[in-house]
Amino acid sequence: AGRLANGLRAIGLRVDPAPQSNIVLFHCDRDRALAKALLERGVLVNLMRRGTFRAVTHLDVDSAAIDQAIERSRDALKTL
């Protein structure tokens, strides 16, 4: 989760709070547009409430998959 949180911060998303488990909460004001763009790129996240997303990692998600999710998220942000 730390790798994902750091990557999302690096592409300009606000991650808060810092992850304490495998859950990463991040924020974007253009929530619906970002949710759609992420889904179109195969990045599965939950829109918890206005502007707040939840991403979850698990043992089967390796560092390459996390890096891919970060890159796809970067691409999604470019469409906003």
Side-chain angles (χ1 to χ4, degrees):
R3 184 183 191 99
L4 180 59
N6 290 336
L8 294 175
R9 277 190 208 99
I11 63 171
L13 292 168
R14 184 171 60 91
V15 176
D16 184 46
Q20 301 296 313
S21 65
N22 64 329
I23 297 171
V24 178
L25 298 179
F26 64 95
H27 309 274
C28 178
D29 291 337
R30 306 249 348 250
D31 54 6
R32 292 181 196 261
L34 181 58
K36 181 177 186 258
L38 290 171
L39 183 60
E40 289 170 351
R41 288 159 179 79
V43 179
L44 304 179
V45 298
N46 294 31
L47 181 55
M48 294 181 51
R49 60 184 172 274
R50 186 175 179 111
T52 301
F53 292 85
R54 176 179 174 257
V56 180
T57 62
H58 56 81
L59 293 175
D60 294 332
V61 178
D62 62 16
S63 59
I66 290 173
D67 292 344
Q68 184 178 56
I70 294 164
E71 285 306 312
R72 290 179 180 187
S73 298
R74 180 192 319 267
D75 185 51
L77 283 170
K78 290 178 183 176
T79 69
L80 303 184

